[in-house]
Amino acid sequence: MELREQFKEIFGCEAEEVYSAAGRVNLIGEHVDYCGGQVLPAALSLKCRVAVRKNGTNFMRVAATDIPARAEIDLDATENYKNLKWGNYQAGVADEMKKAGYRLVGCDILYDCSVPFGSGLSSSAAIEVATAYALARTGGNYVDKKELAVISQRAENNYCGVNCGIMDQFASANGKRGHAVLLDCATLDFEYIPLDLKNCVLVLSNCNKPHNLVESKYNERRTEVDSALKLLRKQIDANDLAHIQPYLLEEHRTLLTPLLYRRAHHVVSECDRVRRSVEALQDGDLERFGRILNESHKSLKEDYEVTGKELDALAEAAQKHPECLGSRMTGAGFGGCTVSLVRKTGVEDFIAKVGKEYREKIGYDASFYVAEVSEGIIDEG
Ligand code: GLA
């Protein structure tokens, strides 16, 4: 059923507007956003659509198309909904918007999210940014997409207890069709890099790993890199890890334990790979870009240790496929997706072979999507 029709069925009246915010794939620059590094994500056509109308009350009433979940959030008491099973992202965004001085009005919102949950393609960022945009617009506020991304990140950090960086929300809000977003996470300056993939496409492979403990492991890595920076700052003048040159890290590696050295080495080398990837893309050299994707996966596996056997199985099978130029895990890791650069003519065979090898090794199926790089926020009217 069409979203507007479902809205009418659930809320008993017509929706006034429909908006959407995108899921994202990160092409390269993994686990560096919270270290002040540059990242290169792109918004996807997988997205969170919302149908909205003002309801004349002081409540935000939210519902979803795919699950029977419903919630009612009192806009005068937004701080009280942290324990909602479903609806806490929305409450968190409303809470942070109020703190930032936005005018909020009561409204009904129906969510329809095509970003697979737990896929590492940022379904939560898409929900947050769609909520922030819908609330900003219904309240008649001035809309700045950069600021909506920051507010959405704060909601996830402060309200939902996930210590994520800015990348996902930023890409979800500011992505552009056919472009990747080169974002400097230290300054939030960004530029669009045209994504001319010629005879190739990006294939997203979801490892479908159940129950992965992403949040605790993620927070553990953040603590580790904070410790590494603290130790390095005894001898190096740097505000963040991403700005430490690789040779300086080598010169001062004795300041770190072997484990902290590997974590820092990932960050520093990944930042270098982002620079080289942008050059390769600008030169139209997709083979080179593909090789850098492979290097990134290796670093995430060996130095940062955020891959796991499922993502490794997918990346390994992809990397040896003759039509694949490069493949790596994308997002937080521990589960979720890989992104692979594959020649269009080889996509079907790629999916068949990688899918088969994965099933044989892991015991259940992976899912595959050909990525379409799209706008971040869309105002459907
Ligand atoms: C998650 C976080 C991002 C980023 C990535 C890893 O997606 O939400 O902020 O840290 O992991 O690159």
Side-chain angles (χ1 to χ4, degrees):
M1 203 194 300
E2 217 278 314
L3 184 63
R4 283 176 178 275
E5 277 173 48
Q6 287 188 60
F7 184 94
K8 201 169 168 186
E9 211 171 88
I10 293 171
F11 293 112
C13 51
E14 303 281 346
E16 288 163 352
E17 306 286 343
V18 175
Y19 309 118
S20 67
R24 66 95 191 92
V25 54
N26 186 22
L27 300 180
I28 195 141
E30 213 65 83
H31 283 282
V32 300
D33 61 345
Y34 51 82
C35 301
Q38 284 189 315
V39 293
L40 192 66
L44 294 170
S45 58
L46 297 168
K47 60 193 170 192
C48 175
R49 287 177 80 215
V50 291
V52 194
R53 73 149 203 149
K54 294 194 250 327
N55 61 19
T57 73
N58 206 32
F59 284 83
M60 171 163 102
R61 298 192 300 190
V62 291
T65 54
D66 55 341
I67 45 171
R70 306 280 181 265
E72 262 194 29
I73 295 147
D74 182 347
L75 293 176
D76 283 331
T78 46
E79 64 283 3
N80 290 345
Y81 298 90
K82 290 191 176 156
N83 295 328
L84 280 184
K85 250 193 171 158
W86 185 84
N88 64 332
Y89 289 126
Q90 290 89 329
V93 168
D95 195 51
E96 289 295 341
M97 287 181 85
K98 269 176 48 191
K99 287 188 196 150
Y102 282 77
R103 173 177 177 264
L104 303 187
V105 299
C107 54
D108 298 337
I109 312 183
L110 179 61
Y111 289 80
D112 184 44
C113 193
S114 59
V115 190
F117 182 70
S119 60
L121 301 176
S122 296
S123 55
S124 55
I127 292 172
E128 289 152 5
V129 172
T131 304
Y133 189 73
L135 288 178
R137 292 295 302 271
T138 45
N141 299 275
Y142 172 75
V143 171
D144 172 353
K145 293 181 182 174
K146 216 170 170 174
E147 189 174 300
L148 293 185
V150 172
I151 286 177
S152 299
Q153 181 204 13
R154 273 191 217 140
E156 188 137 347
N157 293 168
N158 303 337
Y159 207 88
C160 308
V162 183
N163 210 6
C164 66
I166 185 64
M167 171 171 75
D168 304 348
Q169 292 79 6
F170 201 94
S172 177
N174 296 284
K176 180 169 165 169
R177 182 178 305 280
H179 291 75
V181 184
L182 177 62
L183 169 67
D184 183 329
C185 300
T187 60
L188 297 193
D189 289 338
F190 71 105
E191 68 180 286
Y192 292 117
I193 306 291
L195 212 50
D196 180 7
L197 299 180
K198 299 178 188 172
N199 61 344
C200 291
V201 287
L202 296 171
V203 178
L204 305 174
S205 313
N206 187 344
C207 76
N208 290 328
K209 179 180 179 181
H211 320 296
N212 52 57
L213 298 166
V214 183
E215 285 158 24
S216 57
K217 293 281 182 195
Y218 184 90
N219 290 344
E220 185 182 291
R221 290 299 173 280
R222 288 205 63 161
T223 314
E224 288 166 351
V225 288
D226 286 350
S227 309
L229 178 63
K230 217 163 152 196
L231 292 168
L232 289 166
R233 277 167 63 115
K234 287 184 179 163
Q235 287 176 19
I236 301 177
D237 178 25
N239 286 333
D240 44 51
L241 211 46
H243 291 98
I244 294 179
Q245 295 295 320
Y247 81 91
L248 270 181
L249 175 64
E250 293 313 314
E251 273 180 27
H252 298 279
R253 68 182 285 175
T254 49
L255 289 171
L256 304 177
T257 62
L259 182 129
L260 291 185
Y261 167 75
R262 282 189 286 120
R263 303 297 190 246
H265 185 255
H266 165 72
V267 173
V268 166
S269 63
E270 184 77 355
C271 290
D272 186 52
R273 283 186 285 275
V274 174
R275 282 188 285 275
R276 291 193 283 124
S277 294
V278 172
E279 273 170 23
L281 285 170
Q282 286 172 337
D283 293 347
D285 190 340
L286 294 180
E287 265 85 11
R288 190 171 7 128
F289 178 49
R291 286 193 296 274
I292 304 172
L293 295 179
N294 293 345
E295 286 172 31
S296 171
H297 186 86
K298 187 167 188 279
S299 175
L300 288 156
K301 176 183 177 191
E302 294 173 3
D303 280 348
Y304 220 63
E305 297 180 282
V306 291
T307 55
K309 66 178 193 310
E310 297 82 4
L311 288 171
D312 289 338
L314 280 178
E316 231 171 76
Q319 287 172 8
K320 71 180 186 219
H321 192 282
E323 301 297 329
C324 175
L325 278 60
S327 181
R328 59 179 286 275
M329 59 149 269
T330 183
F334 306 107
C337 283
T338 57
V339 55
S340 309
L341 187 61
V342 184
R343 285 190 198 90
K344 282 180 192 156
T345 47
V347 169
E348 235 174 86
D349 190 64
F350 175 88
I351 293 176
K353 296 229 168 80
V354 174
K356 180 166 180 281
E357 192 168 323
Y358 184 75
R359 191 176 331 106
E360 283 168 5
K361 223 182 229 169
I362 304 297
Y364 51 82
D365 282 328
S367 339
F368 298 88
Y369 325 86
V370 173
E372 214 184 295
V373 172
S374 183
E375 290 291 304
I377 292 174
I378 299 175
D379 196 331
E380 295 184 22

